[in-house]
């Protein structure tokens, strides 16, 4: 059974500063705080976002570039190890000025406002293993 | 006041295997692990999804069938008891290849990739009670 | 570094009664329960919703009014202090009868069904500070 068991160590609230790339900032943060296993939720407002859609035939992420500023209506994901380093898998839902929603795997996006709640877990960290050119999963 | 109080027992990371129905697999999992109260977040990629929209006039879930593969941009929900057994109430947001979002109550959907974070809580489990033909709520 | 560290005190399950404004009810709830720091997820069904989109040029929330009933496919957010009182910052994704998604900052919305999972955290509560006419952020 593909299951891993943890307990909650602590919860961080992080106000990500404006104009940083959201994932780059958060990965730097969890690296410094030695968060190797965790989960995250984040809301706010992002601009110049690239959403990924995994195409299983080509085994590649196709990119949808969204210019302008969007509400970050939802960002949820998990933290685990990939090639020995803390890695964040984050999926997002964005809202336009008219309230229309876009959704996908977050490849990149700049922060206008981002309030992240990060749970640091304790226990033996699970490591992602490569299962194809692009996909790395918990085995 | 309709409130129930719990503490966090443990957190599970679950890599749901490909081609399983997401809800069937997770319900089987929480049944085996005796998770009677909890909360969940799940991201990944689903195919052949059926979203529900509750119509309060007919007291029925209307079904929207989505063929093809979607990013599972968000799956959040709760675990409680229904007719004495662990039950998952899960709502999802899906993203198409173009990043367009669909959203609703998850009735069924097959897993391409699904990474679930499940919190097992301790305390007296709340039981859903039938309030109409279709709706079962915490009282 | 803009970070604040907490531990989990307890988890509440709340069945929000029909026809209440979701945010008003939840703010009243966390006030009574003295939840000054926390995080939340909520799913269900809302009607007469007003979504906000923050326009950084005018420094105002533009409003998108959605009439009718929607699946509340996702509601995630955080709890912290604003002007000395517990405050909920909640972003939502809604689904129409056809499964189409809308998303944004929740300004108001009435409950048809709402199941909230609220984590009460312990530690020194962070207080929002005014950074513009409209925005209050963790500093």
């Amino acid at each position: 059974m593909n299951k891993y068991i943890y307990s909650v160590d602590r919860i961080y609230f992080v106000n990500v500063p404006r104009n940083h790339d959201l994932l780059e900032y958060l990965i730097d943060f969890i690296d410094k705080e030695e968060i190797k296993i965790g989960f995250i939720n984040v809301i706010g407002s992002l601009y110049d976002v690239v959403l990924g859609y995994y195409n299983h035939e080509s085994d590649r992420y196709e990119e949808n570039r969204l210019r302008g500023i969007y509400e970050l209506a939802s960002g949820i994901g998990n933290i685990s190890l990939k090639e020995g380093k803390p890695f964040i898998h984050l999926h997002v839902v964005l809202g336009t000025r008219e309230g229309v929603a876009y959704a996908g795997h977050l490849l990149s996006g700049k922060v206008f406002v981002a309030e992240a709640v990060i749970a640091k877990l304790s226990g033996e960290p699970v490591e992602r293993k490569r299962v194809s050119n692009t996909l790395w999963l918990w085995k």
Side-chain angles (χ1 to χ4, degrees), chain A:
Chain A
M1 183 85 87
N2 300 306
K3 73 174 182 195
Y4 304 89
I5 301 177
Y6 303 105
S7 58
V8 179
D9 176 344
R10 62 182 70 179
I11 307 289
Y12 291 87
F13 275 31
V14 184
N15 177 26
V16 182
R18 196 158 292 174
N19 302 325
H20 284 265
D21 181 85
L22 178 63
L23 280 172
E24 283 178 9
Y25 187 91
L26 290 176
I27 284 170
D28 188 51
F29 179 83
I30 64 172
D31 201 43
K32 283 186 179 128
E33 298 291 329
E34 301 189 337
I35 304 172
K36 296 172 181 175
I37 288 290
F39 59 88
I40 185 168
N41 86 42
V42 52
I43 60 175
S45 172
L46 295 182
Y47 66 94
D48 291 352
V49 180
V50 183
L51 294 182
Y53 170 85
Y54 180 75
N55 182 324
H56 74 289
E57 289 175 356
S58 62
D59 186 27
R60 285 177 54 247
Y61 278 103
E62 297 181 9
E63 299 185 356
N64 289 297
R65 291 173 182 274
L66 286 82
R67 297 184 202 288
I69 305 190
Y70 299 83
E71 289 293 313
L72 174 58
S74 165
I76 65 170
N78 57 63
I79 297 166
S80 58
L81 296 179
K82 181 179 172 184
E83 304 182 276
K85 304 188 68 155
F87 174 82
I88 300 175
H89 187 193
L90 191 69
H91 280 200
V92 298
V93 184
L94 303 170
T96 70
R97 188 171 179 179
E98 290 76 29
V100 174
Y102 289 86
H105 172 102
L106 185 64
L107 290 170
S108 64
K110 299 254 188 251
V111 171
F112 184 74
V113 169
E115 297 176 351
V117 177
I118 302 173
K120 178 182 184 178
L121 305 177
S122 27
E124 187 61 37
V126 54
E127 173 106 30
R128 291 179 179 276
K129 307 286 186 211
R130 190 170 217 155
V131 299
S132 76
N133 268 339
T134 298
L135 290 183
W136 297 66
L137 303 177
W138 308 327
K139 293 300 290 184

